[in-house]
Amino acid sequence: MIKVGVLGARGRMGAEVCRAVEAADGMDVVAALDVDDQRSSLVDSGTQVVVDFTHPNAVLDNVRFCVDNDIHCVVGTSGFDQSKLDTVRDWLAHKENVGVLVAPNFALGAVLCMRFAELAAKFYDTVEIVELHHNRKADAPSGTAAHTARLVAAARAEAGLGEVPDATTSTVDGARGAEVDGVRVHSVRLGGLVAHQEVLFGGQGETLTIRHDSLDRTSFMPGVVLGVRGIVDRPGLTVGLDKLLDL
Amino acid sequence: MIKVGVLGARGRMGAEVCRAVEAADGMDVVAALDVDDQRSSLVDSGTQVVVDFTHPNAVLDNVRFCVDNDIHCVVGTSGFDQSKLDTVRDWLAHKENVGVLVAPNFALGAVLCMRFAELAAKFYDTVEIVELHHNRKADAPSGTAAHTARLVAAARAEAGLGEVPDATTSTVDGARGAEVDGVRVHSVRLGGLVAHQEVLFGGQGETLTIRHDSLDRTSFMPGVVLGVRGIVDRPGLTVGLDKLLDL
Amino acid sequence: MIKVGVLGARGRMGAEVCRAVEAADGMDVVAALDVDDQRSSLVDSGTQVVVDFTHPNAVLDNVRFCVDNDIHCVVGTSGFDQSKLDTVRDWLAHKENVGVLVAPNFALGAVLCMRFAELAAKFYDTVEIVELHHNRKADAPSGTAAHTARLVAAARAEAGLGEVPDATTSTVDGARGAEVDGVRVHSVRLGGLVAHQEVLFGGQGETLTIRHDSLDRTSFMPGVVLGVRGIVDRPGLTVGLDKLLDL
Amino acid sequence: MIKVGVLGARGRMGAEVCRAVEAADGMDVVAALDVDDQRSSLVDSGTQVVVDFTHPNAVLDNVRFCVDNDIHCVVGTSGFDQSKLDTVRDWLAHKENVGVLVAPNFALGAVLCMRFAELAAKFYDTVEIVELHHNRKADAPSGTAAHTARLVAAARAEAGLGEVPDATTSTVDGARGAEVDGVRVHSVRLGGLVAHQEVLFGGQGETLTIRHDSLDRTSFMPGVVLGVRGIVDRPGLTVGLDKLLDL
């Protein structure tokens, strides 16, 4: 029985995590904390794996606490950029038995979307990403979109493709989106949306679009449960749920 | 028989215009010019209406020439912003019998898309525009998208809606698009695309999307022909093909 | 204070209706019934308006009961076809003061989608409808899609457009969808979906798509509340929420 | 230099094939035939590979002629069903040196779309296909869609997934599409469209959509050229361009 602590437990995602962990075989919630609670209760409760759905400003400190206390981490909080990843990797260098999983997205469809984008990248000269989320989201682009852009950029580089060509000469600031490793990412924020992403590839007379729609935050839960199960045997930093799948 | 001159006649759009005008009843091409030709032949040929599909940098000078020579203008060149419109309106103030039609888009579906967006605007708190074009396009956002944004913004203002709410606090430059009158516009550029636009509205638990796809530049031709026919009886500046329709 | 009775109150939609009516100004839930309850309690509680989200097989009998007892009805149950509408209209012919609102969809976006489809219909030779719902849905096509098809067909007829042309000569049964008043409707059923509809128009080199996505059943509630308020002053049969809007 | 014969050479696709073959390195058009021409000129011209974009009713007889005359075939004509494939396989059993490639779609994006659909199939309980084409198309569903359905069905079977669940109990004929190996396929026909396909997967609270848009028939040409090059060294029946790619 894996003892799980949930950070951000009273948030929308955290509450779902609590339910999903309780419902899953072989794991239990032993600590459900939110912003005003003491993290020391993670240690007191014997928490083995922490699931963090908190805030970009809080998450790094939470991971530090976990690593220091030999607690594995499954991080779903957005905004976990390269410098944060590097920081965590440094911390883990001195911890042989602690694993941290940072997944920009726990929905299976999102993982497949990223993997297919990576596979398609070498066949197309042009590629852009459009991600669409509810209008309460704090960060743009989404962690998933930024991660996808980096995967696509790496696949292009490996295939010897150069920069994505862009003929724009007259523009209003921001129209052409954000550049993440040379890939344009556009962030739409709209009431009524949940979490959606399109990767668009363009070639001669044709386009290929891979789209993922998360219509309900329960879509993340099978992936979170799988992450909790997998991270206990996977020391070091793991980026992306796909590493725990057989793809 | 309306005598038509085509500027940009060797470009992709201009060549289609020549074919469409020749095929249409009641009009003929009497001058087909491109960048190296002398505009004086417009006057020599007795051109009554010029159709301009040239370049954002050239179009204003072309319109000036036409207005000075009492030739009506149908302008399809993109990048015709508010300051250009104001300039043309000034010129026309002193010309009682010359009409200029500036349409950001001549496709009927684009006109309907804009009109429906205008009608829907007052019912939704949030709205954004995504326009997608082939990757040889020089300007971003497209003239159609900018025009749509302004129509939506005006309809919101009239309905007493305030600013579109945006919770973004952490962003990469450009991710949230360009702001046109307070409406976010995202410009995707991709090989294989032609001209596409989505207006997305978000409300409580639902979204409404109005999308126009121009898959072939012949889609513009019924609108261009209609514009040529209509502008001869419509002195002054007309912005948008919808003014010539019964919507 | 309008006294509201909810039929199907323990179903997903019915439960939301109860919450929405309680939360709205000027109305209260006085009876919340489901399949095993006695409808007589509607009369006993002095119910003025019934909201019915039950089952295609049960709804007509429920409406009969309401009409017989001078209770107004707001019907959201799907599968309310033309013959049912005719039946209800007959009943109401003898009841001067009872109103029944049958709306195939209460989401504002759905109503706009239908209205815009009706407006666009005359400009396009070809049109089809794709509706997509969760895979627990019992009926296909959805009431909204069938209603939209009929609106589009009527608008085409009024504009003098003939049959939608179809060149299909070799087909597998069902591939080309269902015909509703000559308009093809395709019903997709998929896990993870909620309620979605696309109306696609095709012309020369272009298409226009109007899409509505209901991602959460709360999207119906503003429309239901508006229906309850409006039906008390609108005797007879009203089909479609748009009649109560200012469109 | 591969000697290529084109059947259906005056059709839209055939004419593009002629251009593409002429433009490609290492091959030439030596015979360009259409419905009224004698196939004997294929033999007279020393044609090594025939490319067939004709009609479902004509194609099998064309392939027979080629196989009898030891000419390789690249078949792009739609409507090539299982019984036709079996027939051709029988003919080829006695011909050691003749290759026939039947590809339901030559666009690279279509091939990727099918491959990704095959990979994703095992992760989702529900799946449907929507294909959309111009309204001059004779067959429904498209060959690509039917082929995709069969690939998805095979992947489901291999993963031990049962039938796609369907709760529909009340339906209008055709609403739920055609069944191809248990996978529902919907065929939309619309003016302005070219060739488009969506494979939609639905899981818990999420959907994954893989979409291919062919906006221009030149999108098929890189694949046709690749097929001509590959089939000369690949005796027997090959179904699907993906067999010639490194995916």
Side-chain angles (χ1 to χ4, degrees), chain B residues 109-139:
Chain B
V111 176
L112 293 174
C113 178
M114 286 187 274
R115 181 62 185 142
F116 293 162
E118 208 176 2
L119 287 172
K122 67 175 168 185
F123 295 107
Y124 289 96
D125 272 347
T126 53
V127 55
E128 305 208 354
I129 296 171
V130 180
E131 54 94 344
L132 312 94
H133 283 81
H134 57 85
N135 67 330
R136 303 175 308 279
K137 187 170 179 62
D139 56 319

PDB file of all heavy atoms in Angstrom, chain B residues 109-139:
ATOM      1  N   GLY B 109     -18.340  33.489 -47.371  1.00  0.00           N
ATOM      2  CA  GLY B 109     -18.278  32.842 -46.059  1.00  0.00           C
ATOM      3  C   GLY B 109     -17.556  33.702 -45.042  1.00  0.00           C
ATOM      4  O   GLY B 109     -17.892  33.708 -43.860  1.00  0.00           O
ATOM      5  N   ALA B 110     -16.552  34.438 -45.486  1.00  0.00           N
ATOM      6  CA  ALA B 110     -15.832  35.326 -44.576  1.00  0.00           C
ATOM      7  C   ALA B 110     -16.740  36.460 -44.132  1.00  0.00           C
ATOM      8  O   ALA B 110     -16.735  36.865 -42.960  1.00  0.00           O
ATOM      9  CB  ALA B 110     -14.584  35.875 -45.254  1.00  0.00           C
ATOM     10  N   VAL B 111     -17.529  36.962 -45.055  1.00  0.00           N
ATOM     11  CA  VAL B 111     -18.448  38.048 -44.724  1.00  0.00           C
ATOM     12  C   VAL B 111     -19.499  37.568 -43.726  1.00  0.00           C
ATOM     13  O   VAL B 111     -19.798  38.240 -42.739  1.00  0.00           O
ATOM     14  CB  VAL B 111     -19.104  38.595 -46.018  1.00  0.00           C
ATOM     15  CG1 VAL B 111     -20.139  39.652 -45.684  1.00  0.00           C
ATOM     16  CG2 VAL B 111     -18.036  39.166 -46.941  1.00  0.00           C
ATOM     17  N   LEU B 112     -20.030  36.368 -43.956  1.00  0.00           N
ATOM     18  CA  LEU B 112     -20.996  35.799 -43.013  1.00  0.00           C
ATOM     19  C   LEU B 112     -20.342  35.554 -41.659  1.00  0.00           C
ATOM     20  O   LEU B 112     -20.928  35.809 -40.602  1.00  0.00           O
ATOM     21  CB  LEU B 112     -21.573  34.490 -43.560  1.00  0.00           C
ATOM     22  CG  LEU B 112     -22.456  34.614 -44.802  1.00  0.00           C
ATOM     23  CD1 LEU B 112     -22.846  33.226 -45.325  1.00  0.00           C
ATOM     24  CD2 LEU B 112     -23.720  35.423 -44.490  1.00  0.00           C
ATOM     25  N   CYS B 113     -19.119  35.042 -41.684  1.00  0.00           N
ATOM     26  CA  CYS B 113     -18.379  34.778 -40.441  1.00  0.00           C
ATOM     27  C   CYS B 113     -18.272  36.061 -39.621  1.00  0.00           C
ATOM     28  O   CYS B 113     -18.528  36.073 -38.403  1.00  0.00           O
ATOM     29  CB  CYS B 113     -16.999  34.224 -40.789  1.00  0.00           C
ATOM     30  SG  CYS B 113     -15.941  33.902 -39.374  1.00  0.00           S
ATOM     31  N   MET B 114     -17.918  37.145 -40.277  1.00  0.00           N
ATOM     32  CA  MET B 114     -17.788  38.428 -39.565  1.00  0.00           C
ATOM     33  C   MET B 114     -19.136  38.900 -39.034  1.00  0.00           C
ATOM     34  O   MET B 114     -19.247  39.352 -37.896  1.00  0.00           O
ATOM     35  CB  MET B 114     -17.184  39.472 -40.495  1.00  0.00           C
ATOM     36  CG  MET B 114     -15.693  39.253 -40.711  1.00  0.00           C
ATOM     37  SD  MET B 114     -14.896  40.581 -41.654  1.00  0.00           S
ATOM     38  CE  MET B 114     -15.209  40.023 -43.323  1.00  0.00           C
ATOM     39  N   ARG B 115     -20.173  38.781 -39.852  1.00  0.00           N
ATOM     40  CA  ARG B 115     -21.484  39.257 -39.433  1.00  0.00           C
ATOM     41  C   ARG B 115     -22.010  38.451 -38.250  1.00  0.00           C
ATOM     42  O   ARG B 115     -22.543  39.016 -37.282  1.00  0.00           O
ATOM     43  CB  ARG B 115     -22.459  39.165 -40.625  1.00  0.00           C
ATOM     44  CG  ARG B 115     -23.858  39.650 -40.340  1.00  0.00           C
ATOM     45  CD  ARG B 115     -23.897  41.119 -39.960  1.00  0.00           C
ATOM     46  NE  ARG B 115     -25.245  41.532 -39.571  1.00  0.00           N
ATOM     47  CZ  ARG B 115     -25.508  42.385 -38.594  1.00  0.00           C
ATOM     48  NH1 ARG B 115     -24.519  42.939 -37.907  1.00  0.00           N
ATOM     49  NH2 ARG B 115     -26.740  42.704 -38.307  1.00  0.00           N
ATOM     50  N   PHE B 116     -21.848  37.138 -38.302  1.00  0.00           N
ATOM     51  CA  PHE B 116     -22.325  36.293 -37.204  1.00  0.00           C
ATOM     52  C   PHE B 116     -21.520  36.576 -35.930  1.00  0.00           C
ATOM     53  O   PHE B 116     -22.063  36.565 -34.822  1.00  0.00           O
ATOM     54  CB  PHE B 116     -22.233  34.809 -37.582  1.00  0.00           C
ATOM     55  CG  PHE B 116     -23.168  34.402 -38.693  1.00  0.00           C
ATOM     56  CD1 PHE B 116     -22.957  33.230 -39.406  1.00  0.00           C
ATOM     57  CD2 PHE B 116     -24.279  35.176 -39.030  1.00  0.00           C
ATOM     58  CE1 PHE B 116     -23.821  32.841 -40.433  1.00  0.00           C
ATOM     59  CE2 PHE B 116     -25.151  34.801 -40.057  1.00  0.00           C
ATOM     60  CZ  PHE B 116     -24.909  33.630 -40.755  1.00  0.00           C
ATOM     61  N   ALA B 117     -20.235  36.822 -36.098  1.00  0.00           N
ATOM     62  CA  ALA B 117     -19.399  37.151 -34.938  1.00  0.00           C
ATOM     63  C   ALA B 117     -19.910  38.423 -34.269  1.00  0.00           C
ATOM     64  O   ALA B 117     -19.971  38.528 -33.035  1.00  0.00           O
ATOM     65  CB  ALA B 117     -17.942  37.308 -35.365  1.00  0.00           C
ATOM     66  N   GLU B 118     -20.254  39.369 -35.090  1.00  0.00           N
ATOM     67  CA  GLU B 118     -20.791  40.644 -34.593  1.00  0.00           C
ATOM     68  C   GLU B 118     -22.091  40.404 -33.808  1.00  0.00           C
ATOM     69  O   GLU B 118     -22.320  40.987 -32.745  1.00  0.00           O
ATOM     70  CB  GLU B 118     -21.067  41.527 -35.807  1.00  0.00           C
ATOM     71  CG  GLU B 118     -20.984  43.000 -35.582  1.00  0.00           C
ATOM     72  CD  GLU B 118     -21.190  43.743 -36.902  1.00  0.00           C
ATOM     73  OE1 GLU B 118     -21.425  43.100 -37.953  1.00  0.00           O
ATOM     74  OE2 GLU B 118     -21.120  44.991 -36.869  1.00  0.00           O
ATOM     75  N   LEU B 119     -22.948  39.540 -34.349  1.00  0.00           N
ATOM     76  CA  LEU B 119     -24.238  39.263 -33.705  1.00  0.00           C
ATOM     77  C   LEU B 119     -24.066  38.486 -32.402  1.00  0.00           C
ATOM     78  O   LEU B 119     -24.807  38.693 -31.434  1.00  0.00           O
ATOM     79  CB  LEU B 119     -25.138  38.445 -34.646  1.00  0.00           C
ATOM     80  CG  LEU B 119     -25.747  39.185 -35.831  1.00  0.00           C
ATOM     81  CD1 LEU B 119     -26.437  38.206 -36.767  1.00  0.00           C
ATOM     82  CD2 LEU B 119     -26.745  40.245 -35.347  1.00  0.00           C
ATOM     83  N   ALA B 120     -23.105  37.591 -32.362  1.00  0.00           N
ATOM     84  CA  ALA B 120     -22.934  36.739 -31.185  1.00  0.00           C
ATOM     85  C   ALA B 120     -22.211  37.452 -30.046  1.00  0.00           C
ATOM     86  O   ALA B 120     -22.315  37.054 -28.886  1.00  0.00           O
ATOM     87  CB  ALA B 120     -22.154  35.470 -31.567  1.00  0.00           C
ATOM     88  N   ALA B 121     -21.492  38.507 -30.386  1.00  0.00           N
ATOM     89  CA  ALA B 121     -20.549  39.112 -29.437  1.00  0.00           C
ATOM     90  C   ALA B 121     -21.186  39.492 -28.109  1.00  0.00           C
ATOM     91  O   ALA B 121     -20.605  39.280 -27.042  1.00  0.00           O
ATOM     92  CB  ALA B 121     -19.884  40.331 -30.077  1.00  0.00           C
ATOM     93  N   LYS B 122     -22.387  40.009 -28.137  1.00  0.00           N
ATOM     94  CA  LYS B 122     -22.983  40.527 -26.901  1.00  0.00           C
ATOM     95  C   LYS B 122     -23.387  39.424 -25.923  1.00  0.00           C
ATOM     96  O   LYS B 122     -23.660  39.700 -24.756  1.00  0.00           O
ATOM     97  CB  LYS B 122     -24.191  41.393 -27.228  1.00  0.00           C
ATOM     98  CG  LYS B 122     -25.375  40.650 -27.811  1.00  0.00           C
ATOM     99  CD  LYS B 122     -26.583  41.570 -27.995  1.00  0.00           C
ATOM    100  CE  LYS B 122     -27.655  40.881 -28.860  1.00  0.00           C
ATOM    101  NZ  LYS B 122     -28.774  41.774 -29.149  1.00  0.00           N
ATOM    102  N   PHE B 123     -23.451  38.174 -26.391  1.00  0.00           N
ATOM    103  CA  PHE B 123     -23.901  37.082 -25.533  1.00  0.00           C
ATOM    104  C   PHE B 123     -22.771  36.401 -24.758  1.00  0.00           C
ATOM    105  O   PHE B 123     -23.022  35.521 -23.959  1.00  0.00           O
ATOM    106  CB  PHE B 123     -24.628  36.023 -26.369  1.00  0.00           C
ATOM    107  CG  PHE B 123     -25.900  36.512 -26.996  1.00  0.00           C
ATOM    108  CD1 PHE B 123     -25.979  36.771 -28.347  1.00  0.00           C
ATOM    109  CD2 PHE B 123     -27.025  36.720 -26.212  1.00  0.00           C
ATOM    110  CE1 PHE B 123     -27.172  37.215 -28.928  1.00  0.00           C
ATOM    111  CE2 PHE B 123     -28.208  37.168 -26.776  1.00  0.00           C
ATOM    112  CZ  PHE B 123     -28.290  37.418 -28.134  1.00  0.00           C
ATOM    113  N   TYR B 124     -21.518  36.791 -25.012  1.00  0.00           N
ATOM    114  CA  TYR B 124     -20.398  36.051 -24.434  1.00  0.00           C
ATOM    115  C   TYR B 124     -19.385  36.963 -23.745  1.00  0.00           C
ATOM    116  O   TYR B 124     -19.004  37.987 -24.303  1.00  0.00           O
ATOM    117  CB  TYR B 124     -19.683  35.234 -25.521  1.00  0.00           C
ATOM    118  CG  TYR B 124     -20.512  34.071 -26.002  1.00  0.00           C
ATOM    119  CD1 TYR B 124     -21.296  34.175 -27.145  1.00  0.00           C
ATOM    120  CD2 TYR B 124     -20.533  32.890 -25.280  1.00  0.00           C
ATOM    121  CE1 TYR B 124     -22.086  33.105 -27.559  1.00  0.00           C
ATOM    122  CE2 TYR B 124     -21.313  31.822 -25.689  1.00  0.00           C
ATOM    123  CZ  TYR B 124     -22.084  31.936 -26.823  1.00  0.00           C
ATOM    124  OH  TYR B 124     -22.856  30.887 -27.226  1.00  0.00           O
ATOM    125  N   ASP B 125     -18.921  36.524 -22.589  1.00  0.00           N
ATOM    126  CA  ASP B 125     -17.898  37.269 -21.862  1.00  0.00           C
ATOM    127  C   ASP B 125     -16.544  37.241 -22.549  1.00  0.00           C
ATOM    128  O   ASP B 125     -15.795  38.210 -22.503  1.00  0.00           O
ATOM    129  CB  ASP B 125     -17.713  36.664 -20.459  1.00  0.00           C
ATOM    130  CG  ASP B 125     -18.658  37.271 -19.460  1.00  0.00           C
ATOM    131  OD1 ASP B 125     -19.281  38.312 -19.771  1.00  0.00           O
ATOM    132  OD2 ASP B 125     -18.797  36.711 -18.364  1.00  0.00           O
ATOM    133  N   THR B 126     -16.228  36.094 -23.155  1.00  0.00           N
ATOM    134  CA  THR B 126     -14.882  35.933 -23.697  1.00  0.00           C
ATOM    135  C   THR B 126     -14.922  35.586 -25.175  1.00  0.00           C
ATOM    136  O   THR B 126     -15.826  34.886 -25.639  1.00  0.00           O
ATOM    137  CB  THR B 126     -14.106  34.823 -22.947  1.00  0.00           C
ATOM    138  OG1 THR B 126     -14.887  33.632 -22.952  1.00  0.00           O
ATOM    139  CG2 THR B 126     -13.860  35.225 -21.503  1.00  0.00           C
ATOM    140  N   VAL B 127     -13.939  36.097 -25.889  1.00  0.00           N
ATOM    141  CA  VAL B 127     -13.863  35.877 -27.335  1.00  0.00           C
ATOM    142  C   VAL B 127     -12.410  36.003 -27.784  1.00  0.00           C
ATOM    143  O   VAL B 127     -11.675  36.863 -27.279  1.00  0.00           O
ATOM    144  CB  VAL B 127     -14.749  36.918 -28.074  1.00  0.00           C
ATOM    145  CG1 VAL B 127     -14.376  38.324 -27.677  1.00  0.00           C
ATOM    146  CG2 VAL B 127     -14.666  36.752 -29.584  1.00  0.00           C
ATOM    147  N   GLU B 128     -11.979  35.126 -28.687  1.00  0.00           N
ATOM    148  CA  GLU B 128     -10.667  35.272 -29.303  1.00  0.00           C
ATOM    149  C   GLU B 128     -10.773  34.835 -30.760  1.00  0.00           C
ATOM    150  O   GLU B 128     -11.727  34.173 -31.160  1.00  0.00           O
ATOM    151  CB  GLU B 128      -9.589  34.448 -28.565  1.00  0.00           C
ATOM    152  CG  GLU B 128      -9.520  34.792 -27.072  1.00  0.00           C
ATOM    153  CD  GLU B 128      -8.149  34.581 -26.416  1.00  0.00           C
ATOM    154  OE1 GLU B 128      -7.233  34.068 -27.058  1.00  0.00           O
ATOM    155  OE2 GLU B 128      -8.041  34.962 -25.238  1.00  0.00           O
ATOM    156  N   ILE B 129      -9.784  35.251 -31.536  1.00  0.00           N
ATOM    157  CA  ILE B 129      -9.781  34.923 -32.960  1.00  0.00           C
ATOM    158  C   ILE B 129      -8.492  34.193 -33.310  1.00  0.00           C
ATOM    159  O   ILE B 129      -7.410  34.602 -32.883  1.00  0.00           O
ATOM    160  CB  ILE B 129      -9.905  36.211 -33.815  1.00  0.00           C
ATOM    161  CG1 ILE B 129     -11.269  36.885 -33.544  1.00  0.00           C
ATOM    162  CG2 ILE B 129      -9.751  35.904 -35.301  1.00  0.00           C
ATOM    163  CD1 ILE B 129     -11.423  38.264 -34.165  1.00  0.00           C
ATOM    164  N   VAL B 130      -8.623  33.109 -34.045  1.00  0.00           N
ATOM    165  CA  VAL B 130      -7.459  32.413 -34.589  1.00  0.00           C
ATOM    166  C   VAL B 130      -7.588  32.456 -36.103  1.00  0.00           C
ATOM    167  O   VAL B 130      -8.587  32.015 -36.652  1.00  0.00           O
ATOM    168  CB  VAL B 130      -7.404  30.942 -34.116  1.00  0.00           C
ATOM    169  CG1 VAL B 130      -6.187  30.242 -34.693  1.00  0.00           C
ATOM    170  CG2 VAL B 130      -7.398  30.858 -32.592  1.00  0.00           C
ATOM    171  N   GLU B 131      -6.575  33.011 -36.760  1.00  0.00           N
ATOM    172  CA  GLU B 131      -6.584  32.971 -38.233  1.00  0.00           C
ATOM    173  C   GLU B 131      -5.382  32.167 -38.679  1.00  0.00           C
ATOM    174  O   GLU B 131      -4.324  32.233 -38.086  1.00  0.00           O
ATOM    175  CB  GLU B 131      -6.634  34.386 -38.831  1.00  0.00           C
ATOM    176  CG  GLU B 131      -5.575  35.340 -38.364  1.00  0.00           C
ATOM    177  CD  GLU B 131      -4.361  35.380 -39.280  1.00  0.00           C
ATOM    178  OE1 GLU B 131      -4.178  34.489 -40.117  1.00  0.00           O
ATOM    179  OE2 GLU B 131      -3.562  36.325 -39.129  1.00  0.00           O
ATOM    180  N   LEU B 132      -5.586  31.389 -39.736  1.00  0.00           N
ATOM    181  CA  LEU B 132      -4.548  30.470 -40.203  1.00  0.00           C
ATOM    182  C   LEU B 132      -4.377  30.660 -41.713  1.00  0.00           C
ATOM    183  O   LEU B 132      -5.348  30.583 -42.467  1.00  0.00           O
ATOM    184  CB  LEU B 132      -4.940  29.010 -39.922  1.00  0.00           C
ATOM    185  CG  LEU B 132      -5.446  28.685 -38.501  1.00  0.00           C
ATOM    186  CD1 LEU B 132      -6.966  28.741 -38.415  1.00  0.00           C
ATOM    187  CD2 LEU B 132      -4.951  27.330 -38.050  1.00  0.00           C
ATOM    188  N   HIS B 133      -3.124  30.907 -42.136  1.00  0.00           N
ATOM    189  CA  HIS B 133      -2.859  31.126 -43.556  1.00  0.00           C
ATOM    190  C   HIS B 133      -1.603  30.376 -43.983  1.00  0.00           C
ATOM    191  O   HIS B 133      -0.781  29.983 -43.149  1.00  0.00           O
ATOM    192  CB  HIS B 133      -2.669  32.621 -43.840  1.00  0.00           C
ATOM    193  CG  HIS B 133      -3.958  33.387 -43.870  1.00  0.00           C
ATOM    194  ND1 HIS B 133      -4.591  33.808 -42.720  1.00  0.00           N
ATOM    195  CD2 HIS B 133      -4.744  33.795 -44.904  1.00  0.00           C
ATOM    196  CE1 HIS B 133      -5.714  34.453 -43.053  1.00  0.00           C
ATOM    197  NE2 HIS B 133      -5.819  34.470 -44.359  1.00  0.00           N
ATOM    198  N   HIS B 134      -1.460  30.218 -45.282  1.00  0.00           N
ATOM    199  CA  HIS B 134      -0.234  29.693 -45.893  1.00  0.00           C
ATOM    200  C   HIS B 134       0.967  30.497 -45.400  1.00  0.00           C
ATOM    201  O   HIS B 134       0.834  31.661 -45.034  1.00  0.00           O
ATOM    202  CB  HIS B 134      -0.328  29.783 -47.408  1.00  0.00           C
ATOM    203  CG  HIS B 134      -0.571  31.181 -47.897  1.00  0.00           C
ATOM    204  ND1 HIS B 134       0.448  32.080 -48.110  1.00  0.00           N
ATOM    205  CD2 HIS B 134      -1.720  31.848 -48.152  1.00  0.00           C
ATOM    206  CE1 HIS B 134      -0.057  33.221 -48.501  1.00  0.00           C
ATOM    207  NE2 HIS B 134      -1.385  33.110 -48.529  1.00  0.00           N
ATOM    208  N   ASN B 135       2.121  29.864 -45.415  1.00  0.00           N
ATOM    209  CA  ASN B 135       3.285  30.511 -44.800  1.00  0.00           C
ATOM    210  C   ASN B 135       4.073  31.430 -45.738  1.00  0.00           C
ATOM    211  O   ASN B 135       5.238  31.714 -45.501  1.00  0.00           O
ATOM    212  CB  ASN B 135       4.198  29.474 -44.142  1.00  0.00           C
ATOM    213  CG  ASN B 135       4.850  28.566 -45.151  1.00  0.00           C
ATOM    214  OD1 ASN B 135       4.281  28.298 -46.202  1.00  0.00           O
ATOM    215  ND2 ASN B 135       6.040  28.104 -44.848  1.00  0.00           N
ATOM    216  N   ARG B 136       3.430  31.887 -46.802  1.00  0.00           N
ATOM    217  CA  ARG B 136       4.066  32.936 -47.608  1.00  0.00           C
ATOM    218  C   ARG B 136       3.443  34.296 -47.318  1.00  0.00           C
ATOM    219  O   ARG B 136       3.833  35.301 -47.892  1.00  0.00           O
ATOM    220  CB  ARG B 136       3.910  32.632 -49.113  1.00  0.00           C
ATOM    221  CG  ARG B 136       4.464  31.286 -49.571  1.00  0.00           C
ATOM    222  CD  ARG B 136       4.158  31.006 -51.035  1.00  0.00           C
ATOM    223  NE  ARG B 136       2.748  31.161 -51.321  1.00  0.00           N
ATOM    224  CZ  ARG B 136       1.809  30.240 -51.075  1.00  0.00           C
ATOM    225  NH1 ARG B 136       2.156  29.074 -50.555  1.00  0.00           N
ATOM    226  NH2 ARG B 136       0.533  30.470 -51.339  1.00  0.00           N
ATOM    227  N   LYS B 137       2.465  34.338 -46.438  1.00  0.00           N
ATOM    228  CA  LYS B 137       1.744  35.581 -46.148  1.00  0.00           C
ATOM    229  C   LYS B 137       2.635  36.571 -45.399  1.00  0.00           C
ATOM    230  O   LYS B 137       3.316  36.205 -44.448  1.00  0.00           O
ATOM    231  CB  LYS B 137       0.502  35.263 -45.310  1.00  0.00           C
ATOM    232  CG  LYS B 137      -0.423  36.465 -45.092  1.00  0.00           C
ATOM    233  CD  LYS B 137      -1.751  36.042 -44.477  1.00  0.00           C
ATOM    234  CE  LYS B 137      -2.654  37.238 -44.239  1.00  0.00           C
ATOM    235  NZ  LYS B 137      -3.014  37.936 -45.481  1.00  0.00           N
ATOM    236  N   ALA B 138       2.583  37.834 -45.831  1.00  0.00           N
ATOM    237  CA  ALA B 138       3.516  38.833 -45.289  1.00  0.00           C
ATOM    238  C   ALA B 138       3.025  39.494 -44.010  1.00  0.00           C
ATOM    239  O   ALA B 138       3.826  39.891 -43.166  1.00  0.00           O
ATOM    240  CB  ALA B 138       3.780  39.907 -46.349  1.00  0.00           C
ATOM    241  N   ASP B 139       1.723  39.640 -43.845  1.00  0.00           N
ATOM    242  CA  ASP B 139       1.233  40.387 -42.693  1.00  0.00           C
ATOM    243  C   ASP B 139       0.495  39.500 -41.698  1.00  0.00           C
ATOM    244  O   ASP B 139      -0.119  38.498 -42.061  1.00  0.00           O
ATOM    245  CB  ASP B 139       0.310  41.532 -43.150  1.00  0.00           C
ATOM    246  CG  ASP B 139      -0.845  41.023 -43.992  1.00  0.00           C
ATOM    247  OD1 ASP B 139      -0.609  40.124 -44.837  1.00  0.00           O
ATOM    248  OD2 ASP B 139      -1.978  41.492 -43.787  1.00  0.00           O
TER     249      ASP B 139
END
